[in-house]
């Protein structure tokens, strides 16, 4: 987990470049403008009346055949994935991409021209923290064409990609962490490639007028046809990684997770972006406090505070919802963004500290000890924690169900409790706690 806050970034000033549009073959000028915080990336069609803009969001995805097209109403922008990949990987969160045509200049078929443009414009930090999507549970998407993408929890944005052409020709693999420097060096120069059998029908229909060996590598049989030699022996898998970064930029948040992709394509990439957005929407929806039944035999906050000496900000139990037996109970704690620990843990990336979850477990276990001893004249001191595991991050808006069970009570002086915390039906942390009793 990062210990320094990450702030949103935009370009420092407007910069532009011109080139050829892939599908129409016409000249197009692309201008990159700074934009305010929480603006995201928007495309502006300067060539149309009223200069409409299109949000680079998955909700606006229209088609994924050969390239990624977004649109709002009747307005379209084609082939957005390379410019989005460059903006995302180079750390630009907010910008306006203005064009006087319906697609960006294709450049040499790589993201090099866009990286050069971003560097020309410069990148500036803004005052608001970045928004992240932290992968908690493994997610995956599959397509009929054989694409498989798995997304795993990770504290960095990583991509491990396997690419293979027809009959597994040019099978390639690369794994990397996506950083601006790594992207510029390893990914941005990788050009678009096509297998001859795939583009032949398009060329026959004259659908790729701007396409040439200047801006794509054509693979025919085992022969690689291109204007200049391959830039990397594994240039194809590198380009696939570029497309993944560009398509996932449509999520609108930075991803902390590991993408493991096998033969990915725009359709599968877009499916993953959709799945991430759905999960984000679900998380935002459950972030409203859940109503918890007071339940038979539970304790409300007043009763909890009669037993526990802890007070704000250190009282980590809102309510005991049930006692299953004398030695087993479940407490609940609603975690809000107002918890003092979120201010410093971490700015822009609030995660509940694991030690606070252990404290919550200890407090719920203490309530069991009190019930058993039937007196408040002695107090249980927390001595040790064993087998502590933090499995998933706990975030603002989560409701933690704290399960505690007394497993051993050795004589009068020592007690042991097995505890775990649950959020959204998944165990987020667990520990075995030892207590000793002392007279107050
Ligand atoms: Zn591409």
């Amino acid at each position: 987990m990062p210990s320094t806050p990450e702030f949103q970034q935009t370009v420092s000033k407007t910069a532009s470049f011109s080139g050829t549009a892939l599908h129409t073959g016409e000249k197009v000028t692309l201008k990159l403008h700074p934009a305010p915080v929480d603006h995201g990336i928007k495309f502006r069609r300067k060539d149309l009346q009223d200069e409409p803009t299109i949000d680079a969001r998955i909700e606006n995805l229209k088609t994924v055949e050969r390239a990624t097209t977004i649109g709002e109403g009747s307005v379209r922008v084609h082939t957005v994935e390379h410019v989005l990949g460059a903006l995302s990987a180079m750390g630009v969160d907010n910008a306006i991409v203005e064009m006087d045509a319906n697609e960006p200049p294709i450049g040499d078929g790589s993201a090099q021209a866009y990286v050069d443009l971003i560097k020309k414009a410069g990148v500036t930090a803004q005052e608001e923290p970045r928004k992240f999507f932290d992968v908690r549970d493994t997610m995956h998407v599959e397509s009929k064409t054989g694409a498989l993408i798995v997304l795993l929890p990770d504290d960095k944005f990583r991509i491990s990609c396997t690419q293979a052409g027809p009959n597994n020709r040019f099978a390639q693999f690369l794994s990397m962490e996506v950083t601006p420097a790594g992207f510029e060096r390893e990914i941005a120069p990788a050009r678009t490639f096509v297998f001859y059998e795939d583009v032949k029908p398009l060329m026959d229909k004259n659908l790729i007028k701007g396409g040439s060996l200047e801006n794509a590598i054509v693979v025919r049989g085992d022969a690689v046809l291109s204007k200049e030699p391959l830039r990397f022996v594994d240039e194809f898998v590198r380009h696939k990684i570029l497309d993944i970064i560009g398509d996932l930029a449509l999520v609108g948040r930075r991803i902390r997770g590991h993408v493991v992709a096998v033969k990915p394509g725009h359709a599968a990439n877009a499916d993953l972006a959709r799945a991430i957005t759905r999960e984000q929407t679900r998380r935002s929806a459950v972030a409203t406090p859940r109503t918890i039944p007071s339940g038979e035999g539970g304790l409300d906050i007043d009763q909890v505070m009669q037993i526990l000496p802890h007070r704000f900000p250190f009282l980590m139990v809102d309510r005991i919802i049930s006692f299953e037996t004398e030695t087993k109970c479940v407490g609940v704690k609603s975690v809000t963004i107002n918890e003092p620990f979120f201010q410093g843990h971490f700015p822009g990336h609030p995660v509940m500290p694991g030690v606070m979850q252990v404290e919550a477990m200890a407090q719920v276990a203490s309530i069991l000890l009190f019930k058993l001893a039937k007196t408040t004249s002695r107090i249980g001191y927390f001595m040790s924690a064993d087998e502590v595991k933090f499995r998933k991050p706990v975030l603002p808006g989560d409701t933690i169900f704290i399960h505690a069970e007394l497993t051993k009570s050795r004589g009068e002086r020592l007690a042991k409790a097995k505890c775990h915390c649950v959020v959204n039906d998944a165990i987020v942390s667990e520990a075995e706690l030892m207590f000793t009793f002392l007279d107050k």
Side-chain angles (χ1 to χ4, degrees):
M1 299 287 170
S3 53
T4 50
E6 276 189 45
F7 288 96
Q8 296 182 27
Q9 299 190 128
T10 186
V11 287
S12 312
K13 60 177 191 335
T14 298
S16 71
F17 87 107
S18 301
T20 309
L22 174 67
H23 294 94
T24 58
E26 282 163 19
K27 192 187 167 224
V28 44
T29 298
L30 182 150
K31 273 189 191 163
L32 209 50
H33 297 288
V37 292
D38 295 330
H39 172 280
I41 307 294
K42 290 188 194 356
F43 286 83
R44 182 191 288 157
R45 286 282 305 272
K46 187 85 174 155
D47 56 319
L48 299 182
Q49 201 184 357
D50 302 330
E51 304 181 5
T53 59
I54 303 170
D55 249 325
R57 301 293 300 250
I58 191 68
E59 297 89 315
N60 291 328
L61 183 76
K62 296 300 172 198
T63 60
V64 287
E65 277 164 46
R66 298 180 300 283
T68 301
T69 295
I70 57 173
E72 280 186 68
S74 59
V75 183
R76 295 284 179 276
V77 185
H78 305 281
T79 328
V80 294
E81 63 271 23
H82 300 164
V83 64
L84 286 179
L87 287 167
S88 167
M90 298 303 285
V92 179
D93 304 281
N94 304 303
I96 294 168
V97 183
E98 183 188 287
M99 305 183 306
D100 54 4
N102 65 2
E103 64 180 341
I106 186 68
D108 60 5
S110 76
Q112 190 63 58
Y114 310 120
V115 167
D116 294 343
L117 183 68
I118 293 163
K119 291 180 82 175
K120 195 163 98 182
V123 176
T124 306
Q126 296 171 289
E127 58 277 14
E128 282 292 314
R130 270 184 171 155
K131 293 196 173 74
F132 284 89
F133 176 82
D134 282 288
V135 181
R136 292 182 187 174
D137 299 298
T138 303
M139 307 167 66
H140 85 280
V141 295
E142 273 178 87
S143 78
K144 289 183 206 102
T145 54
L148 167 67
I149 312 182
V150 181
L151 183 56
L152 302 162
D154 202 295
D155 57 1
K156 303 265 169 50
F157 181 34
R158 288 175 206 282
I159 301 182
S160 297
C161 183
T162 302
Q163 149 64 22
N167 307 112
N168 284 341
R169 277 182 289 146
F170 299 95
Q172 298 174 358
F173 171 78
L174 186 69
S175 181
M176 66 177 295
E177 181 193 335
V178 181
T179 62
F183 178 83
E184 187 183 348
R185 194 176 56 239
E186 309 290 341
I187 301 299
R191 291 162 294 172
T192 304
F193 62 96
V194 288
F195 288 89
Y196 179 75
E197 46 269 56
D198 296 335
V199 288
K200 175 89 173 40
L202 303 175
M203 295 195 302
D204 291 347
K205 282 192 228 156
N206 210 12
L207 280 177
I208 38 176
K209 293 194 187 82
S212 74
L213 291 181
E214 307 257 330
N215 50 40
I217 302 164
V218 177
V219 184
R220 191 170 185 174
D222 286 326
V224 174
L225 316 171
S226 61
K227 193 186 162 219
E228 58 170 289
L230 286 177
R231 294 173 177 174
F232 306 94
V233 282
D234 55 358
E235 188 164 353
F236 303 164
V237 73
R238 288 167 192 257
H239 190 85
K240 285 285 186 181
I241 290 175
L242 165 61
D243 285 341
I244 291 171
I245 298 168
D247 290 336
L248 291 186
L250 293 172
V251 166
R253 280 174 178 257
R254 302 213 156 246
I255 295 166
R256 269 191 286 243
H258 186 170
V259 177
V260 180
V262 178
K263 292 171 70 170
H266 293 303
N269 298 347
D271 282 346
L272 182 62
R274 246 183 238 107
I276 293 169
T277 305
R278 261 199 311 272
E279 169 64 11
Q280 181 58 46
T281 308
R282 194 192 64 78
R283 283 185 197 174
S284 308
V286 298
T288 51
R290 281 163 77 161
T291 45
I292 294 135
S294 39
E296 296 274 312
L299 301 175
D300 64 21
I301 186 65
D302 291 335
Q303 294 165 311
V304 167
M305 285 166 74
Q306 279 165 29
I307 299 170
L308 294 177
H310 310 74
R311 292 296 177 265
F312 176 84
F314 226 65
L315 182 58
M316 301 305 291
V317 190
D318 294 336
R319 186 183 293 179
I320 298 294
I321 47 174
S322 64
F323 289 93
E324 224 173 89
T325 60
E326 283 257 277
T327 56
K328 206 171 170 183
C329 75
V330 183
V332 70
K333 162 80 184 154
S334 292
V335 182
T336 77
I337 187 65
N338 298 317
E339 309 291 346
F341 48 75
F342 282 139
Q343 286 179 23
H345 195 274
F346 303 98
H349 176 43
V351 176
M352 184 181 185
V355 291
M356 299 309 285
Q357 295 169 48
V358 175
E359 178 61 28
M361 295 185 229
Q363 291 182 11
V364 172
S366 299
I367 289 169
L368 282 174
L369 292 173
F370 157 77
K371 292 273 281 186
L372 214 59
K374 295 186 177 66
T375 169
T376 50
S377 67
R378 292 199 309 161
I379 186 164
Y381 278 91
F382 182 20
M383 278 176 70
S384 70
D386 289 316
E387 306 288 325
V388 180
K389 292 196 179 71
F390 301 112
R391 300 191 179 280
K392 288 177 182 179
V394 175
L395 308 177
D398 283 342
T399 298
I400 311 180
F401 291 85
I402 308 142
H403 297 247
E405 182 178 9
L406 294 182
T407 50
K408 255 181 225 153
S409 181
R410 252 186 285 146
E412 291 282 282
R413 290 278 159 215
L414 289 174
K416 216 172 184 181
K418 224 176 155 151
C419 307
H420 62 272
C421 291
V422 171
V423 173
N424 293 329
D425 301 324
I427 293 181
V428 293
S429 55
E430 55 191 71
E432 281 183 30
L433 309 179
M434 179 89 88
F435 296 85
T436 184
F437 295 99
L438 291 174
D439 294 324
K440 265 195 198 165

